[in-house]
Amino acid sequence: MSDAANIASALGEMARRRPDAIALRVPRHASRGPALPDYLDMSYAELDAASDRDAAALAAAGIVRGMKTALMVRPGRELFSLMFALFKLGAVPVLIDPGIDKRALRECLAEAAPTAFVGIPLAQIARLVLGWARASVRIVVTVGGPFGWGGHRLARLRENVPAPPFAAAPTRPDELAAVLFTSGSTGVPKGVEYLHRHFLAQVELLREAFALQPGHVNMPTFPPFALFDPALGSTSVIPDMDPTRPASADPHKLVAAITRYGVDMLFGSPALLDTLSRHCEREGVRLPGLRRVISAGAPVAPAILARLRPWLDPGAEIYTPYGATECLPLAVIESAELLQDTRALTERGAGTCVGRPLAANCVRIIAISDEPIADWSGVRELRVGEVGEITVAGPTTTEAYHARPAATALAKIRDGARVVHRMGDLGYFDAQGRLWFCGRKSQRVRTAAGDVYTEQVEPIFNAIAGVRRSAFVGVGAPGAQRPVLLLELEPAAADAAERIEAEARNRAAEFAHTRGIADVLFHARFPVDIRHNAKIGREALAHWATVRLAAR
């Protein structure tokens, strides 16, 4: 293996050790019908050679070590070859979810200020028409299509480069590796600066958290997670789905790919697991080969876990790790503990248990504040059982947002030689050392009687038969907000709204922190984030509730 601190070095090592092992299986094309499309297989040797060739091609276009490079390519062979190519070059990929609001996307690209732009023709047209990164981009490489759109065509560049191998850049651990944007579920996405050591540490923590061994066949329904598979010795099977709409994935295709290719590990958002589990229950579909399921992006409702478990083998494991783009994974819990030990507490307002922090992470709860904290000496740590803001310091904890000094100041605390990240989440530790999540700090409802936290309210009402999900929001000025409960019903429960509202009001009366809820509103379909389709857009719902109540 190369001595460079670079996740791409794992690909070269696997190509030498297991050249014929399958690294990647990707659909040759998207299928419009229910049938699973043909897949293209790439061995480790083939993927390594393809990324070597692409590294040489991008170098010929002028992309060099340290150069920020926006990458907008659909999930498939090109995406993974180009990502590894950029890492081998020592260039800095800039990744933004393509489904976000176009104005936010333009703002993110202007902020990232990439010098190079590598994308499919549709992305190049949008770049020109919408002015994406117009002030900074001077190198353009188009992937596919007959035109260069003001720059180079990747196909032409590939024709004129020497055969592999490519001499990878000797990147250092503290060198900028990538700018990965957050999902923007509570505002404009922020670019998180990943150093090479953060990626390498993530590999080790993922291996530790889920006891991963070489030889797994993984289906990463959030494609960037496939980048870790070569370092873990796994095969990636990319599903035929729109990664920006996991809730709308076709479960027939997911099951067909899992079965055809012997997938034994699945990474999916709670929304995708909801879709898959409902399909299994409805069709009686068993997934005996699926031994490990990992779900992240938002708290997973216990009902989803309970619905999925019967269709897996008894020995299968479902993990719900906790973390964020800024630090992942932070803590982990397996579904058996969650369903047997903590579910009843969650449904009575305790919050959602996210498990025990990994040994490498130092997790502490501090007093809630909306102001910057420059140094740990200005922190007040809380005791077991007290709700506060979750903080973490560890090997995967990133240290800054790109070109956002104010956001960095709000989210980071200097503690001697290390940087502590403020999660922006509220929670507490129980007496057993387990971490409980109580909701986003920015989404707490600030009533005259005190603050109330979303994740200590919503699970109480999610347990009502016929409720698909609930949202707890505040209307009015912070400190005097009116607590409002919104309910989204299952389609089959549309005629049961009167019964469900009565039950919701009865449940609200049971607990001190929910007795202030006077308003129960029904909403047809909650807004959710683009990346995982699981984080509820409570800010938008609060505005909707404000208008609705005013109209009354």
Side-chain angles (χ1 to χ4, degrees):
M1 184 182 290
S2 166
D3 290 334
N6 193 313
I7 197 169
S9 62
L11 175 60
E13 178 67 14
M14 288 297 296
R16 287 186 287 274
R17 289 171 47 200
R18 302 175 61 206
D20 298 326
I22 300 299
L24 190 63
R25 285 191 159 114
V26 295
R28 290 182 183 273
H29 54 79
S31 172
R32 294 185 180 276
L36 193 67
D38 291 335
Y39 270 66
L40 169 70
D41 291 355
M42 293 189 75
S43 69
Y44 274 105
E46 289 169 335
L47 181 57
D48 188 46
S51 60
D52 273 353
R53 189 175 296 110
D54 283 349
L58 296 177
I63 297 176
V64 297
R65 180 175 175 178
M67 182 178 286
K68 288 179 290 182
T69 304
L71 182 61
M72 291 196 170
V73 179
R74 291 190 178 94
R77 174 237 181 249
E78 304 282 18
L79 173 64
F80 299 107
S81 177
L82 287 165
M83 276 296 294
F84 282 113
L86 289 169
F87 284 130
K88 288 178 176 182
L89 274 170
V92 179
V94 175
L95 297 183
I96 307 170
D97 289 339
I100 69 170
D101 179 84
K102 294 299 180 285
R103 288 169 296 180
L105 183 53
R106 178 174 178 173
E107 185 176 337
C108 290
L109 282 168
E111 196 171 81
T115 302
F117 191 104
V118 179
I120 59 175
L122 185 62
Q124 301 292 7
I125 294 170
R127 175 184 60 83
L128 292 169
V129 172
L130 302 177
W132 291 349
R134 181 175 292 158
S136 62
V137 169
R138 56 182 179 82
I139 297 173
V140 172
V141 178
T142 301
V143 182
F147 306 112
W149 298 100
H152 306 273
R153 291 177 55 228
L154 181 62
R156 179 62 58 86
L157 291 169
R158 284 170 172 163
E159 293 172 358
N160 299 306
V161 298
F166 177 83
T171 50
R172 301 180 302 275
D174 283 323
E175 202 167 329
L176 185 62
V179 177
L180 308 182
F181 276 80
T182 62
S183 63
S185 57
T186 56
V188 176
K190 299 185 288 289
V192 179
E193 292 187 349
Y194 264 71
L195 309 181
H196 284 287
R197 60 178 167 84
H198 293 137
F199 282 123
L200 299 178
Q202 275 188 328
V203 170
E204 293 309 311
L205 288 196
L206 289 170
R207 198 192 317 272
E208 172 197 339
F210 309 116
L212 299 180
Q213 302 293 328
H216 284 295
V217 180
N218 181 29
M219 179 180 281
T221 59
F222 181 52
F225 273 83
L227 297 172
F228 295 112
D229 281 338
L232 296 167
S234 302
T235 296
S236 295
V237 177
I238 307 303
D240 178 24
M241 59 175 278
D242 182 346
T244 69
R245 293 180 173 83
S248 301
D250 185 339
H252 296 89
K253 291 182 180 179
L254 295 176
V255 170
I258 288 169
T259 304
R260 178 189 294 180
Y261 295 115
V263 171
D264 58 21
M265 184 166 70
L266 169 71
F267 177 89
S269 79
L272 183 134
L273 293 194
D274 186 34
T275 297
L276 180 62
S277 64
R278 289 173 187 272
H279 171 76
C280 290
E281 184 178 64
R282 184 171 56 249
E283 305 290 335
V285 174
R286 293 191 61 80
L287 300 170
L290 194 58
R291 307 292 299 171
R292 186 175 279 107
V293 177
I294 302 169
S295 185
V300 186
I304 295 175
L305 300 175
R307 191 188 306 125
L308 180 61
R309 281 211 67 91
W311 307 105
L312 307 177
D313 271 0
E317 298 165 316
I318 309 175
Y319 291 100
T320 58
Y322 169 68
T325 307
E326 295 90 340
C327 52
L328 183 73
L330 187 154
V332 67
I333 189 171
E334 204 279 322
S335 62
E337 181 177 7
L338 194 151
L339 291 172
Q340 295 167 16
D341 297 346
T342 69
R343 178 180 185 175
L345 295 171
T346 293
E347 292 177 353
R348 293 187 62 81
T352 294
C353 185
V354 295
R356 293 169 178 81
L358 298 177
N361 291 325
C362 175
V363 180
R364 293 169 285 185
I365 309 297
I366 67 173
I368 299 171
S369 169
D370 296 310
E371 301 302 318
I373 304 173
D375 187 85
W376 195 258
S377 61
V379 162
R380 181 168 67 88
E381 287 189 58
L382 301 185
R383 296 170 299 196
V384 168
E386 290 187 287
V387 175
E389 184 172 6
I390 301 169
T391 72
V392 59
T396 67
T397 303
T398 57
E399 299 174 7
Y401 294 113
H402 192 71
R404 290 270 194 102
T408 298
L410 273 173
K412 309 296 178 181
I413 306 171
R414 176 63 63 178
D415 182 15
R418 65 183 176 180
V419 171
V420 177
H421 177 66
R422 301 169 68 179
M423 292 291 290
D425 289 339
L426 303 177
Y428 64 93
F429 278 110
D430 67 15
Q432 297 173 256
R434 296 179 301 197
L435 182 64
W436 291 72
F437 170 66
C438 297
R440 292 290 292 168
K441 181 173 68 173
S442 63
Q443 294 176 340
R444 69 193 191 274
V445 176
R446 310 192 67 181
T447 75
D451 291 356
V452 190
Y453 314 120
T454 58
E455 200 65 21
Q456 290 189 320
V457 171
E458 292 165 2
I460 294 171
F461 304 97
N462 290 342
I464 297 173
V467 171
R468 187 179 184 95
R469 53 191 165 188
S470 64
F472 180 61
V473 302
V475 169
Q481 286 184 325
R482 178 177 180 173
V484 180
L485 179 69
L486 294 93
L487 301 176
E488 178 186 337
L489 302 185
E490 298 281 5
D495 296 332
E498 186 175 339
R499 184 266 300 170
I500 289 170
E501 180 176 351
E503 187 169 348
R505 292 187 181 280
N506 287 337
R507 291 203 179 197
E510 286 186 46
F511 306 99
H513 67 293
T514 56
R515 285 181 194 136
I517 296 173
D519 300 294
V520 178
L521 304 177
F522 292 92
H523 191 281
R525 188 168 187 174
F526 289 174
V528 292
D529 68 298
I530 289 293
R531 180 175 297 172
H532 301 296
N533 293 178
K535 296 177 181 176
I536 297 170
R538 294 181 184 84
E539 290 82 1
L541 287 175
H543 176 73
W544 180 87
T546 301
V547 173
R548 184 72 176 270
L549 291 173
R552 283 184 172 182

